[in-house]
Amino acid sequence: MASTHTTAAGILAAWLTAAVAVPAAAQPVDLGVAPVVLRDEPYLFDTAEQHGIRVSVVVRGLAHPFGLAFLPNGDALITERGKRLRLVRNAANGGPAKLEPEPVAGTPPEGFVRPTIGLLDVAVHPRFADNRFVYFTYNKPGEGEASLPRPERTSALVLARGVLDGNALRQVEDLYVAPFARGSAWASRIAFGLDGTVYVTSPGPAVDGPSQDRGSPYGKVLRLSDDGGIPADNPFVNDRSARPEVFSLGHRDHHGLAVHPLTGAVLNAEHGPNGGDEVNLILPGRNYGWPTHTFGRDYDGSRMTESPVGDGIEAPLIVWLPSIAPSGLAVYTGDRFPAWKGNLFVSSARIGEIPRTGGLERVVVNEELGELRRERLLTELRQRIANVRQGPDGLLYVLTDQLDSEDGALLRIEPAPL
């Protein structure tokens, strides 16, 4: 990835062009399109380069799905955000899929006082076939959470691990617990590095939050060993002013995290405010700018920072103006979509702040992860797309989530003749 010094001029010019001030229009009372229920019959779409694809429902009836991880046998684990872990039998092995009616036992209990408290992401250990380890993140509420006014509520981000045994997690333990902090109950993602270390995103959405504070684990990408310890080669291990688990800083709420299966490059997909969503190449010890530098505007349309880039700030690989609300990130390396090999896929909850306009962003990149072209997929479904993953069968899978209902779904994308 090029540093800010080599890319800032071009990016700044594009940002200034897109940020021309216009008079604010009165907000419509009813934003967005009407809710759309996914049909049972598959959808057929034409796409660029790959052309025909078929999109079909694998299972439905998921309450706000967020995390998705495949087991080697084609089963899938799905988190319902703030609630439960669900097991889908035969999700990706060609057989009839079945959502187990009972949630996987052993995760934090549901019923916390706000939806951002509780279960978040899920991932399986690279050697799952040998150790059966399942990792998950969750937000733990502070004491007296229910009785406190919202500004005083606290929570702590936790990385936990258990052994999957049928439809239950056994020997569950908290591997890493961040300090309790105000405003920390947002999303988190997990990804394993090629060296077996664990990357975890921690939120830092507030303008006055801790994203620039190396002494806080929030607004960061964290790097841990698979037992929750601190790798000796982390960038701030010998810096007493920093937390040793911090790998990179200056992040907002990042719902996408992926490690390139071939190169080991660490990538995140990060929310800007009103615009300025990003994909970043995450490098050790680097600063990604929030909240002092952003391409986004505040939600009233005003500019938030003097410049989106600056000295010592890493420029993003990809920027979205307007926002797409990125919710997941995958690098496609399979053989089922040969025209899409090496592409980045970013799931999107909505575009331009308009509800129920989600989709799937396909970004063609070169070997240096430089952007070549983009395509937006699945917009015809009128769904919030909550995550994207490549399955063990080489197909693509996405989660849909509707904020106003508990009828989310797991969808399969496969090539099909038109």
Side-chain angles (χ1 to χ4, degrees):
M1 172 183 176
S3 72
T4 295
H5 301 288
T6 60
T7 62
I11 291 176
L12 179 58
W15 179 75
L16 290 173
T17 300
V20 174
V22 297
Q27 282 283 52
V29 174
D30 186 14
L31 286 174
V33 299
V36 175
V37 177
L38 290 169
R39 71 191 191 199
D40 293 329
E41 298 79 14
Y43 298 81
L44 293 176
F45 300 121
D46 191 11
T47 67
E49 300 174 90
Q50 181 61 40
H51 297 295
I53 61 169
R54 178 187 297 111
V55 181
S56 53
V57 175
V58 179
V59 295
R60 61 173 79 231
L62 298 164
H64 309 303
F66 183 72
L68 171 62
F70 285 98
L71 306 182
N73 67 355
D75 291 352
L77 293 168
I78 298 174
T79 63
E80 295 176 321
R81 185 170 174 178
K83 295 179 178 291
R84 300 159 295 198
L85 181 62
R86 308 297 299 274
L87 177 62
V88 180
R89 304 284 186 187
N90 300 321
N93 64 6
K98 177 188 176 184
L99 175 63
E100 288 290 340
E102 294 298 321
V104 177
T107 61
E110 60 177 303
F112 291 131
V113 296
R114 50 187 163 131
T116 52
I117 291 289
L119 190 60
L120 296 172
D121 202 19
V122 62
V124 298
H125 195 280
R127 298 193 305 276
F128 174 84
D130 299 321
N131 56 35
R132 308 286 295 179
F133 283 154
V134 171
Y135 290 68
F136 59 93
T137 49
Y138 71 99
N139 283 321
K140 179 183 294 188
E143 293 185 9
E145 168 86 3
S147 62
L148 293 174
R150 184 174 296 274
E152 297 181 19
R153 295 175 182 174
T154 63
S155 64
L157 177 65
V158 180
L159 174 69
R161 181 179 72 184
V163 176
L164 186 64
D165 179 12
N167 200 37
L169 291 179
R170 314 292 185 192
Q171 305 173 41
V172 175
E173 56 180 332
D174 291 345
L175 299 179
Y176 169 80
V177 182
F180 283 92
R182 294 179 183 177
S184 59
W186 297 81
S188 171
R189 292 293 190 192
I190 311 167
F192 278 89
L194 299 188
D195 59 359
T197 57
V198 185
Y199 294 90
V200 178
T201 66
S202 65
V207 172
D208 58 350
S211 296
Q212 289 294 320
D213 180 5
R214 294 186 298 179
S216 168
Y218 293 105
K220 313 295 192 297
V221 174
L222 310 177
R223 181 172 180 256
L224 304 165
S225 59
D226 66 355
D227 61 0
I230 307 298
D233 58 347
N234 270 9
F236 300 118
V237 164
N238 298 316
D239 185 344
R240 292 188 177 182
S241 68
R243 293 188 66 93
E245 67 269 30
V246 170
F247 190 74
S248 63
L249 65 151
H251 298 290
R252 197 170 181 263
D253 207 15
H254 29 176
H255 290 199
L257 182 67
V259 172
H260 196 297
L262 302 180
T263 68
V266 182
L267 303 165
N268 86 332
E270 183 170 337
H271 282 258
N274 190 354
D277 298 339
E278 304 173 351
V279 168
N280 294 294
L281 175 63
I282 304 301
L283 300 172
R286 303 295 180 86
N287 188 340
Y288 292 82
W290 179 258
T292 59
H293 298 80
T294 177
F295 284 87
R297 289 179 173 269
D298 207 341
Y299 293 99
D300 63 3
S302 60
R303 187 172 296 168
M304 297 189 70
T305 63
E306 292 185 2
S307 171
V309 291
D311 290 340
I313 303 300
E314 291 298 311
L317 293 174
I318 302 163
V319 177
W320 280 273
L321 294 165
S323 62
I324 63 164
S327 53
L329 172 64
V331 182
Y332 185 73
T333 58
D335 296 322
R336 299 295 297 276
F337 301 101
W340 290 352
K341 201 160 190 173
N343 291 183
L344 305 184
F345 286 85
V346 180
S347 51
S348 161
R350 65 186 183 193
I351 188 167
E353 303 298 317
I354 304 297
R356 292 185 286 276
T357 56
L360 183 63
E361 300 280 330
R362 182 179 71 89
V363 185
V364 184
V365 294
N366 60 23
E367 292 183 356
E368 288 74 38
L369 299 175
E371 179 186 348
L372 301 179
R373 53 192 174 273
R374 307 184 192 185
E375 181 182 19
R376 189 166 173 85
L377 307 170
L378 308 188
T379 55
E380 300 91 339
L381 302 180
R382 295 298 188 185
Q383 304 289 307
R384 288 169 51 88
I385 309 298
N387 207 342
V388 57
R389 286 285 183 265
Q390 178 180 319
D393 53 5
L395 298 177
L396 286 167
Y397 292 80
V398 299
L399 294 173
T400 69
D401 168 33
Q402 298 307 314
L403 287 179
D404 47 6
S405 75
E406 294 192 349
D407 192 25
L410 173 65
L411 307 184
R412 178 187 295 119
I413 305 172
E414 54 192 322
L418 292 173

Short mmCIF file of all heavy atoms in Angstrom, two decimals, residues 81-130:
data_model
loop_
_atom_site.label_atom_id
_atom_site.label_comp_id
_atom_site.label_asym_id
_atom_site.label_seq_id
_atom_site.Cartn_x
_atom_site.Cartn_y
_atom_site.Cartn_z
N ARG A 81 -26.74 -11.08 16.24
CA ARG A 81 -26.04 -10.03 16.97
C ARG A 81 -26.74 -9.71 18.29
O ARG A 81 -27.93 -9.41 18.34
CB ARG A 81 -25.93 -8.78 16.11
CG ARG A 81 -25.11 -7.68 16.75
CD ARG A 81 -24.84 -6.58 15.77
NE ARG A 81 -24.16 -5.47 16.43
CZ ARG A 81 -23.76 -4.37 15.82
NH1 ARG A 81 -23.97 -4.23 14.53
NH2 ARG A 81 -23.17 -3.41 16.48
N GLY A 82 -25.94 -9.77 19.36
CA GLY A 82 -26.45 -9.49 20.69
C GLY A 82 -27.25 -10.62 21.28
O GLY A 82 -27.74 -10.50 22.42
N LYS A 83 -27.38 -11.74 20.56
CA LYS A 83 -28.30 -12.78 20.99
C LYS A 83 -27.64 -14.15 21.10
O LYS A 83 -27.15 -14.53 22.16
CB LYS A 83 -29.50 -12.85 20.03
CG LYS A 83 -30.38 -11.60 20.02
CD LYS A 83 -31.52 -11.75 19.04
CE LYS A 83 -32.44 -10.53 19.05
NZ LYS A 83 -33.20 -10.44 20.30
N ARG A 84 -27.62 -14.90 19.97
CA ARG A 84 -27.32 -16.33 20.03
C ARG A 84 -26.38 -16.74 18.91
O ARG A 84 -26.21 -16.04 17.92
CB ARG A 84 -28.63 -17.13 19.90
CG ARG A 84 -29.64 -16.84 20.97
CD ARG A 84 -31.04 -17.24 20.53
NE ARG A 84 -31.51 -16.45 19.40
CZ ARG A 84 -32.78 -16.34 19.03
NH1 ARG A 84 -33.71 -16.98 19.70
NH2 ARG A 84 -33.12 -15.60 18.00
N LEU A 85 -25.81 -17.95 19.08
CA LEU A 85 -25.04 -18.60 18.03
C LEU A 85 -25.88 -19.73 17.45
O LEU A 85 -26.44 -20.54 18.19
CB LEU A 85 -23.73 -19.15 18.61
CG LEU A 85 -22.78 -19.86 17.65
CD1 LEU A 85 -22.29 -18.90 16.57
CD2 LEU A 85 -21.59 -20.44 18.41
N ARG A 86 -26.00 -19.77 16.12
CA ARG A 86 -26.83 -20.77 15.45
C ARG A 86 -25.96 -21.67 14.57
O ARG A 86 -24.95 -21.24 14.01
CB ARG A 86 -27.90 -20.09 14.58
CG ARG A 86 -28.73 -19.03 15.28
CD ARG A 86 -29.55 -19.59 16.44
NE ARG A 86 -30.51 -20.60 16.01
CZ ARG A 86 -31.74 -20.32 15.55
NH1 ARG A 86 -32.13 -19.05 15.45
NH2 ARG A 86 -32.56 -21.30 15.22
N LEU A 87 -26.40 -22.92 14.45
CA LEU A 87 -25.71 -23.90 13.61
C LEU A 87 -26.60 -24.27 12.43
O LEU A 87 -27.76 -24.63 12.61
CB LEU A 87 -25.38 -25.15 14.43
CG LEU A 87 -24.71 -26.32 13.69
CD1 LEU A 87 -23.35 -25.89 13.13
CD2 LEU A 87 -24.56 -27.52 14.61
N VAL A 88 -26.04 -24.17 11.22
CA VAL A 88 -26.74 -24.57 10.00
C VAL A 88 -26.07 -25.81 9.45
O VAL A 88 -24.89 -25.77 9.05
CB VAL A 88 -26.73 -23.45 8.95
CG1 VAL A 88 -27.47 -23.89 7.69
CG2 VAL A 88 -27.34 -22.17 9.50
N ARG A 89 -26.78 -26.92 9.45
CA ARG A 89 -26.25 -28.17 8.90
C ARG A 89 -26.28 -28.09 7.37
O ARG A 89 -27.22 -27.58 6.78
CB ARG A 89 -27.09 -29.35 9.37
CG ARG A 89 -27.23 -29.49 10.88
CD ARG A 89 -25.97 -30.04 11.51
NE ARG A 89 -26.17 -30.31 12.95
CZ ARG A 89 -25.19 -30.67 13.76
NH1 ARG A 89 -23.96 -30.82 13.29
NH2 ARG A 89 -25.45 -30.90 15.04
N ASN A 90 -25.23 -28.64 6.73
CA ASN A 90 -25.17 -28.75 5.27
C ASN A 90 -25.34 -27.41 4.57
O ASN A 90 -25.95 -27.33 3.50
CB ASN A 90 -26.24 -29.73 4.76
CG ASN A 90 -26.08 -31.12 5.32
OD1 ASN A 90 -24.97 -31.61 5.46
ND2 ASN A 90 -27.19 -31.75 5.66
N ALA A 91 -24.79 -26.35 5.14
CA ALA A 91 -24.95 -25.03 4.52
C ALA A 91 -24.21 -24.95 3.19
O ALA A 91 -24.66 -24.27 2.27
CB ALA A 91 -24.43 -23.96 5.47
N ALA A 92 -23.08 -25.66 3.06
CA ALA A 92 -22.24 -25.48 1.87
C ALA A 92 -21.71 -26.79 1.31
O ALA A 92 -20.64 -26.80 0.71
CB ALA A 92 -21.07 -24.55 2.21
N ASN A 93 -22.44 -27.88 1.48
CA ASN A 93 -21.93 -29.13 0.92
C ASN A 93 -22.89 -29.79 -0.06
O ASN A 93 -22.76 -30.97 -0.38
CB ASN A 93 -21.56 -30.12 2.03
CG ASN A 93 -22.76 -30.55 2.85
OD1 ASN A 93 -23.90 -30.21 2.53
ND2 ASN A 93 -22.52 -31.31 3.91
N GLY A 94 -23.87 -29.03 -0.53
CA GLY A 94 -24.76 -29.54 -1.56
C GLY A 94 -25.99 -30.24 -1.07
O GLY A 94 -26.92 -30.47 -1.84
N GLY A 95 -26.04 -30.61 0.20
CA GLY A 95 -27.21 -31.29 0.73
C GLY A 95 -28.27 -30.30 1.18
O GLY A 95 -28.03 -29.09 1.21
N PRO A 96 -29.44 -30.78 1.55
CA PRO A 96 -30.46 -29.86 2.08
C PRO A 96 -30.00 -29.26 3.40
O PRO A 96 -29.62 -29.98 4.33
CB PRO A 96 -31.69 -30.76 2.25
CG PRO A 96 -31.14 -32.15 2.34
CD PRO A 96 -29.92 -32.18 1.50
N ALA A 97 -30.03 -27.93 3.47
CA ALA A 97 -29.56 -27.23 4.67
C ALA A 97 -30.65 -27.23 5.74
O ALA A 97 -31.84 -27.22 5.43
CB ALA A 97 -29.16 -25.81 4.34
N LYS A 98 -30.21 -27.22 7.00
CA LYS A 98 -31.16 -27.19 8.12
C LYS A 98 -30.62 -26.28 9.21
O LYS A 98 -29.49 -26.46 9.69
CB LYS A 98 -31.37 -28.60 8.69
CG LYS A 98 -32.29 -28.61 9.91
CD LYS A 98 -32.32 -29.98 10.58
CE LYS A 98 -33.17 -29.96 11.85
NZ LYS A 98 -33.13 -31.27 12.55
N LEU A 99 -31.41 -25.30 9.60
CA LEU A 99 -31.08 -24.45 10.74
C LEU A 99 -31.51 -25.16 12.01
O LEU A 99 -32.70 -25.45 12.20
CB LEU A 99 -31.79 -23.10 10.63
CG LEU A 99 -31.66 -22.14 11.80
CD1 LEU A 99 -30.21 -21.71 12.00
CD2 LEU A 99 -32.55 -20.92 11.60
N GLU A 100 -30.56 -25.50 12.87
CA GLU A 100 -30.91 -26.17 14.13
C GLU A 100 -31.85 -25.27 14.92
O GLU A 100 -31.57 -24.08 15.11
CB GLU A 100 -29.66 -26.47 14.94
CG GLU A 100 -28.80 -27.58 14.38
CD GLU A 100 -29.46 -28.94 14.52
OE1 GLU A 100 -30.38 -29.09 15.36
OE2 GLU A 100 -29.07 -29.86 13.77
N PRO A 101 -32.97 -25.81 15.40
CA PRO A 101 -33.94 -24.95 16.08
C PRO A 101 -33.44 -24.37 17.40
O PRO A 101 -33.84 -23.27 17.79
CB PRO A 101 -35.14 -25.88 16.31
CG PRO A 101 -34.58 -27.27 16.22
CD PRO A 101 -33.44 -27.20 15.25
N GLU A 102 -32.56 -25.09 18.09
CA GLU A 102 -32.02 -24.60 19.35
C GLU A 102 -30.67 -23.93 19.10
O GLU A 102 -29.86 -24.43 18.32
CB GLU A 102 -31.86 -25.74 20.35
CG GLU A 102 -33.17 -26.35 20.79
CD GLU A 102 -34.06 -25.35 21.51
OE1 GLU A 102 -33.52 -24.53 22.29
OE2 GLU A 102 -35.28 -25.37 21.29
N PRO A 103 -30.42 -22.80 19.75
CA PRO A 103 -29.11 -22.16 19.58
C PRO A 103 -27.99 -23.00 20.16
O PRO A 103 -28.21 -23.89 21.01
CB PRO A 103 -29.27 -20.84 20.34
CG PRO A 103 -30.36 -21.09 21.33
CD PRO A 103 -31.30 -22.06 20.68
N VAL A 104 -26.78 -22.73 19.69
CA VAL A 104 -25.60 -23.40 20.24
C VAL A 104 -25.42 -22.96 21.69
O VAL A 104 -25.35 -21.76 21.98
CB VAL A 104 -24.35 -23.07 19.40
CG1 VAL A 104 -23.11 -23.71 20.02
CG2 VAL A 104 -24.53 -23.51 17.96
N ALA A 105 -25.34 -23.91 22.59
CA ALA A 105 -25.19 -23.60 24.02
C ALA A 105 -23.75 -23.17 24.31
O ALA A 105 -22.81 -23.57 23.63
CB ALA A 105 -25.55 -24.82 24.86
N GLY A 106 -23.59 -22.34 25.34
CA GLY A 106 -22.27 -21.99 25.83
C GLY A 106 -21.82 -20.57 25.56
O GLY A 106 -20.78 -20.16 26.06
N THR A 107 -22.59 -19.81 24.79
CA THR A 107 -22.24 -18.41 24.54
C THR A 107 -22.88 -17.53 25.61
O THR A 107 -23.72 -18.01 26.39
CB THR A 107 -22.69 -17.96 23.15
OG1 THR A 107 -24.11 -18.09 23.05
CG2 THR A 107 -22.03 -18.81 22.07
N PRO A 108 -22.52 -16.25 25.69
CA PRO A 108 -23.12 -15.37 26.70
C PRO A 108 -24.63 -15.37 26.59
O PRO A 108 -25.19 -15.47 25.49
CB PRO A 108 -22.54 -13.99 26.37
CG PRO A 108 -21.29 -14.28 25.63
CD PRO A 108 -21.54 -15.53 24.87
N PRO A 109 -25.34 -15.26 27.69
CA PRO A 109 -26.80 -15.26 27.63
C PRO A 109 -27.34 -14.04 26.91
O PRO A 109 -26.76 -12.95 26.98
CB PRO A 109 -27.21 -15.25 29.10
CG PRO A 109 -26.05 -14.65 29.82
CD PRO A 109 -24.83 -15.09 29.06
N GLU A 110 -28.44 -14.21 26.18
CA GLU A 110 -29.07 -13.08 25.54
C GLU A 110 -29.92 -12.34 26.57
O GLU A 110 -30.04 -12.74 27.72
CB GLU A 110 -29.94 -13.54 24.37
CG GLU A 110 -31.04 -14.49 24.77
CD GLU A 110 -31.92 -14.85 23.58
OE1 GLU A 110 -32.46 -13.91 22.97
OE2 GLU A 110 -32.06 -16.05 23.30
N GLY A 111 -30.50 -11.25 26.14
CA GLY A 111 -31.38 -10.50 27.03
C GLY A 111 -30.71 -9.32 27.69
O GLY A 111 -31.19 -8.81 28.69
N PHE A 112 -29.56 -8.87 27.15
CA PHE A 112 -28.93 -7.68 27.68
C PHE A 112 -29.81 -6.46 27.39
O PHE A 112 -30.71 -6.50 26.57
CB PHE A 112 -27.54 -7.49 27.07
CG PHE A 112 -26.53 -8.52 27.52
CD1 PHE A 112 -25.76 -9.19 26.60
CD2 PHE A 112 -26.39 -8.82 28.86
CE1 PHE A 112 -24.83 -10.14 27.01
CE2 PHE A 112 -25.47 -9.77 29.28
CZ PHE A 112 -24.70 -10.43 28.35
N VAL A 113 -29.50 -5.35 28.03
CA VAL A 113 -30.40 -4.20 27.99
C VAL A 113 -30.31 -3.38 26.71
O VAL A 113 -31.09 -2.48 26.50
CB VAL A 113 -30.15 -3.26 29.20
CG1 VAL A 113 -30.46 -3.97 30.48
CG2 VAL A 113 -28.71 -2.77 29.20
N ARG A 114 -29.39 -3.66 25.84
CA ARG A 114 -29.33 -2.97 24.56
C ARG A 114 -28.73 -3.90 23.52
O ARG A 114 -27.94 -4.78 23.84
CB ARG A 114 -28.55 -1.67 24.65
CG ARG A 114 -27.18 -1.77 25.30
CD ARG A 114 -26.55 -0.39 25.49
NE ARG A 114 -25.46 -0.43 26.43
CZ ARG A 114 -24.26 0.11 26.19
NH1 ARG A 114 -24.02 0.68 25.05
NH2 ARG A 114 -23.31 0.07 27.11
N PRO A 115 -29.10 -3.75 22.25
CA PRO A 115 -28.72 -4.73 21.25
C PRO A 115 -27.24 -4.80 20.95
O PRO A 115 -26.76 -5.79 20.41
CB PRO A 115 -29.51 -4.28 20.01
CG PRO A 115 -29.84 -2.86 20.24
CD PRO A 115 -30.01 -2.72 21.72
N THR A 116 -26.48 -3.76 21.27
CA THR A 116 -25.05 -3.79 21.02
C THR A 116 -24.27 -4.48 22.14
O THR A 116 -23.05 -4.55 22.09
CB THR A 116 -24.50 -2.37 20.81
OG1 THR A 116 -24.89 -1.55 21.90
CG2 THR A 116 -25.01 -1.78 19.51
N ILE A 117 -24.96 -4.95 23.15
CA ILE A 117 -24.34 -5.76 24.19
C ILE A 117 -24.64 -7.22 23.88
O ILE A 117 -25.76 -7.60 23.58
CB ILE A 117 -24.89 -5.41 25.59
CG1 ILE A 117 -24.43 -4.01 26.01
CG2 ILE A 117 -24.48 -6.43 26.62
CD1 ILE A 117 -22.96 -3.92 26.33
N GLY A 118 -23.62 -8.06 23.98
CA GLY A 118 -23.83 -9.48 23.73
C GLY A 118 -22.96 -9.98 22.59
O GLY A 118 -21.93 -9.40 22.25
N LEU A 119 -23.40 -11.08 21.97
CA LEU A 119 -22.61 -11.81 20.98
C LEU A 119 -22.37 -10.99 19.72
O LEU A 119 -23.27 -10.31 19.22
CB LEU A 119 -23.34 -13.11 20.64
CG LEU A 119 -22.60 -14.14 19.81
CD1 LEU A 119 -21.32 -14.61 20.49
CD2 LEU A 119 -23.52 -15.32 19.53
N LEU A 120 -21.15 -11.10 19.17
CA LEU A 120 -20.79 -10.36 17.95
C LEU A 120 -20.33 -11.32 16.86
O LEU A 120 -21.15 -11.94 16.20
CB LEU A 120 -19.73 -9.30 18.28
CG LEU A 120 -20.17 -8.20 19.24
CD1 LEU A 120 -18.99 -7.32 19.65
CD2 LEU A 120 -21.27 -7.35 18.62
N ASP A 121 -19.04 -11.50 16.68
CA ASP A 121 -18.54 -12.27 15.54
C ASP A 121 -18.16 -13.70 15.96
O ASP A 121 -18.08 -14.01 17.16
CB ASP A 121 -17.32 -11.57 14.94
CG ASP A 121 -17.07 -11.97 13.49
OD1 ASP A 121 -18.00 -12.48 12.85
OD2 ASP A 121 -15.93 -11.76 13.01
N VAL A 122 -17.91 -14.55 14.97
CA VAL A 122 -17.51 -15.93 15.20
C VAL A 122 -16.47 -16.33 14.16
O VAL A 122 -16.51 -15.87 13.02
CB VAL A 122 -18.73 -16.89 15.15
CG1 VAL A 122 -19.38 -16.88 13.77
CG2 VAL A 122 -18.35 -18.30 15.57
N ALA A 123 -15.52 -17.17 14.56
CA ALA A 123 -14.50 -17.68 13.65
C ALA A 123 -14.07 -19.05 14.17
O ALA A 123 -14.16 -19.34 15.37
CB ALA A 123 -13.29 -16.74 13.57
N VAL A 124 -13.57 -19.89 13.26
CA VAL A 124 -13.06 -21.20 13.67
C VAL A 124 -11.55 -21.20 13.53
O VAL A 124 -10.97 -20.54 12.66
CB VAL A 124 -13.70 -22.33 12.84
CG1 VAL A 124 -15.21 -22.36 13.06
CG2 VAL A 124 -13.38 -22.22 11.37
N HIS A 125 -10.91 -21.95 14.39
CA HIS A 125 -9.45 -22.05 14.38
C HIS A 125 -8.99 -22.70 13.08
O HIS A 125 -9.66 -23.58 12.54
CB HIS A 125 -9.00 -22.90 15.59
CG HIS A 125 -7.54 -22.78 15.89
ND1 HIS A 125 -6.58 -23.48 15.18
CD2 HIS A 125 -6.87 -22.07 16.82
CE1 HIS A 125 -5.38 -23.21 15.67
NE2 HIS A 125 -5.53 -22.34 16.66
N PRO A 126 -7.84 -22.26 12.53
CA PRO A 126 -7.33 -22.88 11.30
C PRO A 126 -7.14 -24.39 11.42
O PRO A 126 -7.23 -25.11 10.42
CB PRO A 126 -6.00 -22.16 11.07
CG PRO A 126 -6.15 -20.85 11.76
CD PRO A 126 -7.02 -21.12 12.96
N ARG A 127 -6.90 -24.88 12.63
CA ARG A 127 -6.76 -26.33 12.84
C ARG A 127 -8.00 -26.90 13.53
O ARG A 127 -7.91 -27.77 14.39
CB ARG A 127 -5.50 -26.61 13.66
CG ARG A 127 -4.21 -26.16 12.99
CD ARG A 127 -2.96 -26.73 13.68
NE ARG A 127 -2.95 -26.40 15.10
CZ ARG A 127 -2.51 -25.25 15.61
NH1 ARG A 127 -2.07 -24.29 14.80
NH2 ARG A 127 -2.52 -25.04 16.91
N PHE A 128 -9.15 -26.41 13.12
CA PHE A 128 -10.41 -26.82 13.75
C PHE A 128 -10.60 -28.34 13.69
O PHE A 128 -11.13 -28.95 14.64
CB PHE A 128 -11.59 -26.13 13.06
CG PHE A 128 -12.94 -26.60 13.54
CD1 PHE A 128 -13.51 -26.04 14.69
CD2 PHE A 128 -13.63 -27.59 12.87
CE1 PHE A 128 -14.73 -26.48 15.14
CE2 PHE A 128 -14.87 -28.03 13.32
CZ PHE A 128 -15.42 -27.48 14.47
N ALA A 129 -10.19 -28.96 12.61
CA ALA A 129 -10.38 -30.41 12.49
C ALA A 129 -9.67 -31.16 13.60
O ALA A 129 -10.09 -32.27 13.98
CB ALA A 129 -9.87 -30.88 11.12
N ASP A 130 -8.62 -30.57 14.17
CA ASP A 130 -7.87 -31.22 15.24
C ASP A 130 -8.33 -30.79 16.63
O ASP A 130 -8.40 -31.61 17.55
CB ASP A 130 -6.37 -30.92 15.10
CG ASP A 130 -5.81 -31.42 13.78
OD1 ASP A 130 -6.21 -32.52 13.34
OD2 ASP A 130 -4.97 -30.71 13.19
#
